[in-house]
Amino acid sequence: MNPRITFATARRVADQLRRDPRTLALIFVVPPALLALLRYVFDEQPQTFDRVGGPLVGIFPLIMMFLITSIAMLRERTSGTLERLMSMPLAKLDLLLGYGLTFALVAAVQAGITGAVAFGLLDFQTAGAVWALILIAVANAILGMALGLFLSAFATSEYQAVQFMPAFVAPQILLAGLFVPRDRMPAVLEQISMFLPFTYAYDALAKVTANEIDSWLWLDIAVIAASILLALALGATTLRRRTP
Amino acid sequence: MSGGNVDSLANVTEEAVISIRDLDVYRGGLRALADVSLTVRSGIVTGLLGPSGSGKTTLMRAIVGVQIVKRGEVSVLGLPAGSVELRKRIAYVTQAPAVYGDLTVRENLSFFAGVLGVAENRIQHAITTVGLKSQTDQVVNTLSGGERSRASLAIAMLGDPEVLVLDEPTVGLDPVLRQDLWQTFHRLADEGRTVLVSTHVMDEADRCDELILMREGQIVASGSPRQLLERSQTDNLEQAFLTLAEAS
């Protein structure tokens, strides 16, 4: 690993985003717009809204980064640039961290904008600190990135990569407790949800929103961190120097 | 120029920078390389010549160390192909341009300069070498196919590689530029580097000091263009290729 190469990668990824202003606009505008829509859909059910509204601020970065990273990595593979980089003095970690740095920054801005709109303009309620919510949102974004990176190895086309969103992300969102609290799910599903990283990502957000700063929150954060490391390690094994 | 003491096998082995012994490679269940043995020397331009699908790219990938091989030995600069130390000393340009289409030529080069750890002033030098000066700040996706290949080639010119492995770098280029690039390849070789260039265009063959003829994953013949003409008793390389391919 070499900081020079890591930062060169981070800058290159940032340059690519800068050259694609429409993608940047979508990243920053879609989440607050969806929250605004949600706010008025739930206009008659303020209780439900208060429960899911806060956590949603931190779920968007996770989903977005998952999608963007899996496509970006797939492009890196299919354009031949990955093969070129693998023949150069670049450590796999340089590439992963380079993407991580830029995407984490984008996620922080996204979560900041979404949070500002939600709590400032849309009457979203949170008993906890907004900065803590945004911090967890950034952690979730990095988790999404790491998972996207790993799963992109199993897609050979953009069509497939996009399908990973309903195939891999949607079930986790359903099981995370966002729609139905986990203790009210059938036992089997509750058991399954314990093995899914999104469960802990959502739980941490819900706890901060409700200002329940207990040891379970720290467990959630620890599981998120461990999932990031595991996904990055698995992702690194999918970057092959030698290919058939 | 070419020729001289090329015939002396002892001499060839002594100067060999790339040396391959009994290489077998399978791609997609098919035998892409069959029992290939060869040496490539420094200080000259070696051409890898053969029709499309003859195994040129696979052979180059094996030399660079990105190809999974079934059997055989590939060594470059005395180290096994794919060694960490070699990644700085070999430049590899793939046939399809491996550049970021959404970045400008300069942005692409400045990223790879960062990866290779070379000074910024090398960027201008590389751009000039491949003749992309007026396209420097153009986004790669808006360039023509030939310009894109040149942007990809420029990345190989950034560092100070001892070995250059170039897969069909002159396809689709106009004759003037092709001439310039071949002069560049010879200049790089004159500096003592090892230059291996693949092509399927026969008229590029006599621009090489030494040729390796490939067909169906095997080496049909190798030697200087003059030697190949003498051996096949023909007066053009296309005919020589046919005669030697039939004889093997």
Side-chain angles (χ1 to χ4, degrees):
Chain A
M1 224 205 99
N2 182 326
R4 184 197 74 228
I5 301 178
T6 309
F7 283 113
T9 308
R11 216 190 84 192
R12 187 261 297 172
V13 176
D15 280 341
Q16 286 179 295
L17 282 176
R18 199 165 46 77
R19 295 228 162 256
D20 190 358
R22 200 177 300 177
T23 293
L24 273 183
L26 286 167
I27 291 175
F28 296 140
V29 172
V30 169
L34 281 176
L35 287 186
L37 186 63
L38 194 81
R39 158 77 180 73
Y40 294 106
V41 166
F42 278 101
D43 209 29
E44 307 277 304
Q45 294 160 283
Q47 269 177 333
T48 317
F49 177 72
D50 283 345
R51 187 172 67 81
V52 301
L56 272 176
V57 172
I59 289 287
F60 281 117
L62 202 170
I63 299 171
M64 284 266 193
M65 288 304 143
F66 174 86
L67 263 176
I68 289 178
T69 313
S70 45
I71 301 280
M73 235 26 224
L74 189 72
R75 274 166 54 183
E76 193 95 63
R77 279 175 213 275
T78 50
S79 69
T81 45
L82 184 66
E83 183 181 68
R84 177 165 228 158
L85 289 174
M86 290 288 103
S87 74
M88 286 183 172
L90 163 136
K92 294 170 184 174
L93 210 57
D94 287 323
L95 187 66
L96 299 179
L97 290 182
Y99 270 98
L101 278 175
T102 299
F103 283 178
L105 189 71
V106 171
V109 175
Q110 185 194 46
I113 294 175
T114 311
V117 172
F119 300 112
L121 299 174
L122 296 170
D123 294 332
F124 276 54
Q125 299 301 320
T126 172
V130 173
W131 64 263
L133 205 60
I134 288 176
L135 217 59
I136 292 178
V138 172
N140 282 352
I142 298 174
L143 174 65
M145 188 205 84
L147 291 171
L149 206 82
F150 169 54
L151 282 171
S152 77
F154 301 98
T156 52
S157 73
E158 271 96 341
Y159 292 142
Q160 294 172 14
V162 170
Q163 300 303 319
F164 282 165
M165 156 77 190
F168 186 81
V169 175
Q172 293 204 65
I173 290 181
L174 288 175
L175 291 173
L178 183 64
F179 296 99
V180 177
R182 285 170 54 233
D183 52 16
R184 277 191 250 152
M185 290 176 189
V188 183
L189 294 183
E190 195 190 342
Q191 292 289 320
I192 293 173
S193 73
M194 283 176 62
F195 295 96
L196 302 174
F198 277 38
T199 303
Y200 301 89
Y202 169 75
D203 201 55
L205 292 165
K207 284 227 158 68
V208 170
T209 308
N211 205 17
E212 289 170 27
I213 315 296
D214 54 16
S215 53
W216 288 108
L217 174 63
W218 296 112
L219 176 76
D220 288 336
I221 292 170
V223 173
I224 294 171
S227 303
I228 291 172
L229 291 179
L230 182 67
L232 279 180
L234 290 172
T237 64
T238 68
L239 301 173
R240 296 282 162 80
R241 298 260 179 205
R242 279 180 192 271
T243 49
Chain B
M1 272 306 287
S2 61
N5 49 10
V6 183
D7 266 343
S8 153
L9 193 69
N11 202 3
V12 170
T13 324
E14 202 178 86
E15 296 173 34
V17 169
I18 301 170
S19 120
I20 298 179
R21 214 183 308 156
D22 307 326
L23 181 65
D24 266 356
V25 175
Y26 284 78
R27 289 189 87 175
L30 293 170
R31 200 175 187 193
L33 291 179
D35 257 336
V36 168
S37 297
L38 63 88
T39 56
V40 177
R41 295 182 299 141
S42 63
I44 56 167
V45 175
T46 305
L48 195 55
L49 195 67
S52 179
S54 57
K56 302 188 296 291
T57 298
T58 310
L59 183 61
M60 291 187 141
R61 281 170 47 83
I63 291 168
V64 179
V66 297
Q67 175 68 50
I68 295 175
V69 306
K70 174 109 179 159
R71 196 170 62 85
E73 258 175 64
V74 184
S75 80
V76 181
L77 296 161
L79 296 161
S83 303
V84 185
E85 306 94 280
L86 286 178
R87 284 184 207 140
K88 249 198 171 99
R89 301 170 70 186
I90 303 184
Y92 172 43
V93 180
T94 51
Q95 198 174 338
V99 280
Y100 296 97
D102 44 4
L103 296 181
T104 65
V105 174
R106 189 200 301 279
E107 285 165 344
N108 264 290
L109 285 165
S110 126
F111 165 58
F112 285 105
V115 171
L116 296 168
V118 299
E120 285 277 315
N121 61 23
R122 295 290 299 175
I123 295 174
Q124 207 49 50
H125 166 259
I127 290 176
T128 315
T129 305
V130 300
L132 276 182
K133 219 166 179 176
S134 45
Q135 289 89 348
T136 306
D137 290 310
Q138 218 171 311
V139 175
V140 169
N141 273 342
T142 65
L143 298 176
S144 74
E147 289 166 341
R148 243 177 271 187
S149 317
R150 278 186 277 153
S152 189
L153 183 63
I155 295 165
M157 308 287 170
L158 274 176
D160 186 25
E162 291 159 70
V163 179
L164 288 109
V165 179
L166 314 174
D167 201 354
E168 309 219 354
T170 56
V171 170
L173 298 187
D174 79 78
V176 179
L177 194 71
R178 228 161 64 172
Q179 166 113 342
D180 285 353
L181 282 179
W182 277 99
Q183 277 167 5
T184 304
F185 300 157
H186 280 284
R187 206 192 61 232
L188 291 165
D190 290 342
E191 291 168 8
R193 300 172 212 274
T194 306
V195 183
L196 181 65
V197 182
S198 77
T199 177
H200 66 266
V201 190
M202 290 293 169
D203 64 7
E204 291 197 320
D206 45 3
R207 295 181 190 268
C208 303
D209 301 314
E210 190 114 341
L211 285 170
I212 298 167
L213 304 188
M214 286 190 79
R215 192 166 176 261
E216 291 172 358
Q218 282 178 310
I219 299 206
V220 172
S222 61
S224 70
R226 200 195 311 167
Q227 285 173 322
L228 294 176
L229 291 177
E230 277 168 17
R231 211 178 304 164
S232 57
Q233 295 179 329
T234 52
D235 54 6
N236 72 70
L237 282 164
E238 177 127 31
Q239 198 55 49
F241 186 97
L242 289 171
T243 313
L244 293 166
E246 242 158 65
S248 70

